[in-house]
Amino acid sequence: MQEAPTANPENSSSENTEEYREPAIRIKELDFLYGNNQVIHNVTLDIFPKEIMAFIGPSGCGKSTLLRCLNRMNDLVEGARIGKGSIEIHGVDLHDKSVDVIELRKKVGMVFQKSNPFPKSIYQNVAYGLQIQGVKSKRVVDQKVEESLRKAALWEEVKDRLNENAYGLSGGQQQRLCIARTLAVEPEIILMDEPCSALDPVATGRVEELILELKNEYTIVVVTHNMQQAGRISDRTAFFYLGKLIECDLTKKIFLNPSKQQTEDYISGKFG
Amino acid sequence: MNSSQRKDHWIKIFFASNAVTSIIILGLITLFLFKEGVEFFGQYRDALERYRKSGMEYATVVTKQHDDQTLLYRYLESILSQEVESMEGIAIDSTKKIQAQEKTKALLQLTREFQNTKEFLLVYEKKMVKWAAETKLFLLTKSDLIDVKKQAISSDLPEEDFSESIEELIDRQSFSHTELARWQNYFIRHKREDLAKRINPMVGTESGTHKTGEINNLTSIIQESAISQYPDILTKQDNRFSTILSDYKPSFILSKSETDFKKAKDALSEYLVNVPLYKERLTTWDPTKDYPLHRAFSGFLLGKDWVTNSARQDWYGVLPLLSGSLLVSLIALALAIPFGVGSAIYVNQVATAHEQTFIKPGIEFISAIPSVLIGFFGIAVLGGMVNLIAGERLNSLTAGFLLALMTVPTIFTLAEDALNNVPRALRDASLSLGATRWQTCARVIFPSAITGIISAILLGFGRVIGETMVVLLCAGNRIAIPNVSSGLGVFAQPVHTMTGIIAQEMGEVEFGSIHYRALFMVGIALFLIALLVNFLSQTIAGRYKASY
């Protein structure tokens, strides 16, 4: 906290404050509703390229909903809609008519709370994203599968059993497989919805290591319940409460010297 | 034990007894089915043995040979009639007419000669059938008498005028009608109407017995004639056939008749090739040869005929019924699978919540329609449409259509469940990778649900094969194995089914008869099929559940 300058999220996004960076995701005054039930209230937030942004907050605070807005997974929920405001990725409004949601999801990958490999072989799981895009060449697919599994730090463990069913892997391996599956589509941004909540501490450690490595290439948004985890891996942290963004700042600052009382109460465990 | 514990105890007993009762009832049904059915094989074997011992088997082969000859005769007859018809166009008294008349006269002569020759065998055949029928009655009477005698002994009736021992009865080669009447009276006197009923003092008189006033075992006479008379008849016939044909100078008015006549000649030579086979079979016929039990098994399982109330011999072969049931089921499933699975996919993947609220109950309502009403619909409406395609109102196609309608709800509901059971997370994962809804459905959801869908289809099959009313009303009820050689027409032939035959005949059969037991055997076969289908679908469904 000592070294971090006090600043608003816009200019504290990087340790290097002199350089202005175009945000990868820009959320502007967003209201979001399920039917008549408003779950997100006037959220404004920028997420910068190649940073890890953590969303924290008690259950039902809207952090997962906001995450699912970023690749329009909420489209699948009946009655879900944007009240006002917008989400832009590289300056393009996600809800613009010209946006192809399929292309969007290729660009914005997602890793889910519970590992959800397909009931197929390990190889097929990773190759799936390429195959639906119509990539036929076995060589290209093979190469991409290996590359993605290496990036997900899983290659050494599974290279001899690529054709076995993915359900044979351990929970942590399955989650890394899901990450590899996402990487194979070459996204720019990866959304992670409590990726370690179903894992034991050892597996969690490995996935966290992986997330930190991926930061070099990808913009990552992580929703987590685990505040230590947010502290360990994220550059910046956004705290949500009852659908409102209470505070967003450098992680160290949020944890050591939050500017809002609510944030401090939550982090110190007074509620949650 | 306090009062609340006691109450718990009784509630527990109540529910446990419900569960146990249903299992016991299932067990009893199974036991009863098998108990009633299993005696069939013994009875059927006895019946078939009687069929052989009585000479009816022999007579039937003779009939078959005669039928072959009749077929040849029909050829000639049809040529004759087309020739006669063609003459009508020719002017009277013209030379052409006179020539034509001569030609037809010669042909008529040939046809008559042929018929007369055929008659040798016909006369012989009629005699054999009559003798065999009497022998069969005799054997039946004898086994009944032995049976009632045994019962008389076991219930300690005095001997009086039914003093013959069982050994004596077995050795008898004839019974006189007076004797039979006396024995019947004997049982009536002793208040055993149930046994008296089994003795018919006039047995055989309707068809005329070999010797008046008695009924005889004529097996030895039949066997004797098979060795002495039959070969003579054949030789005589063969000679006549070849002479009348060589005497005849084929010359016809119509060129078509010429080719027809060639065909007839070919058929005749084919028949003549078969003659030695008949001769072989008939002269080596042995009424004393045993009829093994496994022949009764194979006769049931592989028998191609289901003939009941026949004057000669009843046949209980399950094959025509089984094939009919399978054919109808095949048609029904071929239609119901795409509709059922298709609507399940639509409702599960595409339909809005509003659409779901009326599609699902709508389809499920079909299963609430009483099947007899669906049968009405089939006869009244669908039959007419099938008539346009197949030229027949009621056949396997009509029944297949209706059964498909009835199975769609089963397949739909279960397939929809299977699709629903695919974890949402898999769909989300696929969509988040940039897959379209259809790609997700085809590559992730459908493959994940496939075992559940297969088990839905199997249960649909179980539903179809067990359905009775619709097939009874609409399948056409002709007992025959569908003729595969008719190409696509095989799907539009009247058939009878296993369920249909039970429903149709069970009400009329005599309790405990072979026919009654044969119907139970059909029921057992049906039961086993249902068991197998259920077992398969549960195994498959179990594997499906294990994968998540």
Side-chain angles (χ1 to χ4, degrees), chain B residues 85-135:
Chain B
E85 224 168 85
S86 74
M87 264 179 29
E88 282 169 17
I90 305 169
I92 300 166
D93 290 341
S94 64
T95 44
K96 218 173 161 194
K97 179 92 180 183
I98 293 160
Q99 276 175 357
Q101 272 168 343
E102 267 166 24
K103 281 178 189 169
T104 42
K105 210 169 145 192
L107 187 59
L108 184 68
Q109 183 65 25
L110 171 75
T111 317
R112 278 207 187 128
E113 286 282 329
F114 193 94
Q115 197 181 7
N116 291 339
T117 313
K118 189 169 80 78
E119 205 90 328
F120 297 151
L121 193 63
L122 182 65
V123 171
Y124 180 70
E125 185 238 357
K126 279 189 172 153
K127 194 164 72 185
M128 286 304 117
V129 171
K130 204 180 144 191
W131 286 354
E134 183 174 340
T135 311

Side-chain angles (χ1 to χ4, degrees), chain B residues 66-81 107-119 241 244 264 267-268 271:
Chain B
H66 180 253
D67 287 348
D68 282 359
Q69 294 181 2
T70 310
L71 209 66
L72 294 172
Y73 172 69
R74 295 257 180 274
Y75 270 117
L76 295 178
E77 217 181 21
S78 75
I79 298 172
L80 181 64
S81 73
L107 187 59
L108 184 68
Q109 183 65 25
L110 171 75
T111 317
R112 278 207 187 128
E113 286 282 329
F114 193 94
Q115 197 181 7
N116 291 339
T117 313
K118 189 169 80 78
E119 205 90 328
F241 279 141
I244 56 176
L268 180 68
Y271 163 75

Side-chain angles (χ1 to χ4, degrees), chain B residues 320-321 324 392 394 475-483 492-497:
Chain B
L321 307 172
E392 225 169 6
L394 302 179
N477 297 355
R478 189 189 66 179
I479 305 172
I481 296 176
N483 183 4
Q493 290 175 359
V495 293
H496 215 319
T497 55

Side-chain angles (χ1 to χ4, degrees), chain A residues 68 71 73 76-78 102 105-106 108-110 112 116-120 128-129 131-133 167 181-182 185, chain B residues 351-354 423-437 439-440 443-444 447-448 547-548:
Chain A
R68 291 171 76 93
N71 65 348
M73 286 299 277
L76 304 167
V77 181
E78 216 153 315
I102 302 298
R105 287 182 189 146
K106 283 179 198 158
V108 185
M110 190 160 194
F112 296 82
N116 54 356
F118 301 127
K120 299 171 188 271
Y128 180 80
Q131 283 166 349
I132 55 173
Q133 286 177 30
Y167 285 110
R181 182 174 67 184
T182 309
V185 190
Chain B
T352 61
H354 175 68
R424 224 191 125 85
L426 291 184
R427 188 185 70 164
D428 284 357
S430 170
L431 290 172
S432 77
L433 290 168
T436 63
R437 188 157 64 182
Q439 283 173 326
T440 303
R443 285 166 177 261
V444 175
S448 304
S547 65
Y548 295 120

Side-chain angles (χ1 to χ4, degrees), chain B residues 334-352:
Chain B
L335 291 164
I337 291 171
F339 278 101
V341 177
S343 2
I345 289 176
Y346 182 78
V347 166
N348 192 266
Q349 296 295 314
V350 187
T352 61

Side-chain angles (χ1 to χ4, degrees), chain A residues 126 143-153 180-181 183-184:
Chain A
V126 183
Q143 207 174 3
K144 197 77 209 170
V145 167
E146 180 175 344
E147 190 190 315
S148 308
L149 284 169
R150 277 188 193 283
K151 275 189 190 169
R181 182 174 67 184
L183 296 180

Side-chain angles (χ1 to χ4, degrees), chain A residues 53-271:
Chain A
M53 165 67 88
F55 287 178
I56 61 168
S59 299
C61 70
K63 56 190 191 303
S64 282
T65 303
L66 183 62
L67 189 78
R68 291 171 76 93
C69 283
L70 300 181
N71 65 348
R72 285 180 57 182
M73 286 299 277
N74 283 328
D75 288 10
L76 304 167
V77 181
E78 216 153 315
R81 63 195 168 90
I82 291 207
K84 73 170 175 55
S86 66
I87 304 169
E88 288 174 8
I89 288 184
H90 295 304
V92 179
D93 187 344
L94 291 193
H95 291 85
D96 194 85
K97 282 205 182 86
S98 67
V99 170
D100 178 358
V101 67
I102 302 298
E103 286 305 314
L104 168 73
R105 287 182 189 146
K106 283 179 198 158
K107 217 155 63 180
V108 185
M110 190 160 194
V111 177
F112 296 82
Q113 183 171 3
K114 197 168 166 282
S115 59
N116 54 356
F118 301 127
K120 299 171 188 271
S121 70
I122 294 169
Y123 179 93
Q124 286 294 325
N125 261 282
V126 183
Y128 180 80
L130 300 167
Q131 283 166 349
I132 55 173
Q133 286 177 30
V135 178
K136 290 276 187 308
S137 159
K138 174 116 175 60
R139 201 175 52 81
V140 173
V141 177
D142 281 354
Q143 207 174 3
K144 197 77 209 170
V145 167
E146 180 175 344
E147 190 190 315
S148 308
L149 284 169
R150 277 188 193 283
K151 275 189 190 169
L154 195 59
W155 176 254
E156 291 302 323
E157 292 161 54
V158 300
K159 65 181 177 192
D160 299 323
R161 45 173 179 152
L162 288 176
N163 291 318
E164 284 175 29
N165 193 300
Y167 285 110
L169 296 174
S170 73
Q173 286 175 323
Q174 286 192 13
Q175 192 60 299
R176 277 181 284 145
L177 178 66
C178 292
I179 294 174
R181 182 174 67 184
T182 309
L183 296 180
V185 190
E186 300 185 330
E188 262 174 59
I189 300 165
I190 302 176
L191 310 175
M192 297 190 177
D193 191 355
E194 303 192 36
C196 302
S197 67
L199 302 183
D200 63 61
V202 176
T204 302
R206 302 214 50 182
V207 172
E208 284 179 6
E209 263 171 52
L210 171 61
I211 294 173
L212 283 170
E213 266 169 48
L214 293 175
K215 187 185 129 179
N216 299 324
E217 284 181 62
Y218 306 93
T219 306
I220 298 173
V221 185
V222 183
V223 166
T224 179
H225 249 107
N226 179 336
M227 275 171 291
Q228 285 77 17
Q229 182 174 61
R232 281 194 298 268
I233 60 174
S234 67
D235 299 315
R236 290 197 301 142
T237 299
F239 171 62
F240 292 87
Y241 184 60
L242 297 178
K244 293 190 181 79
L245 174 62
I246 304 299
E247 189 173 357
C248 174
D249 211 326
L250 290 176
T251 302
K252 284 174 187 158
K253 180 169 183 312
I254 290 268
F255 277 85
L256 294 176
N257 186 18
S259 43
K260 298 275 168 56
Q261 186 60 37
Q262 272 173 317
T263 318
E264 191 173 346
D265 289 350
Y266 179 68
I267 285 167
S268 59
K270 285 197 178 142
F271 74 97

